[in-house]
Amino acid sequence: MNAVTEPETLSELIADCAFIPATLQAESLPAAPVTAEPWQVDEACHAQVAELDAYV
């Protein structure tokens, strides 16, 4: 049994992408709807990140 490992270099990542099935590649996926509802940040969401600068 082969262990699955994360790519360690960019070239390994690119090589891994070659194994993505065609059904999962962007060209074969349906286009996103252009009539998507706009989103808004409410007070609860804003409160979650209000003091983010203190952590950065």
Side-chain angles (χ1 to χ4, degrees):
M1 176 190 232
N2 291 338
V4 176
T5 60
E6 294 293 321
E8 295 183 9
T9 65
L10 185 56
S11 60
E12 288 178 2
L13 178 60
I14 292 169
D16 286 351
C17 290
F19 295 109
I20 296 175
T23 55
L24 297 177
Q25 293 178 359
E27 297 84 22
S28 62
L29 296 176
V34 273
T35 57
E37 294 292 322
W39 59 273
Q40 295 181 359
V41 177
D42 61 14
E43 291 299 319
C45 181
H46 184 267
Q48 292 178 355
V49 295
E51 297 185 25
L52 180 64
D53 289 337
Y55 297 103
V56 178

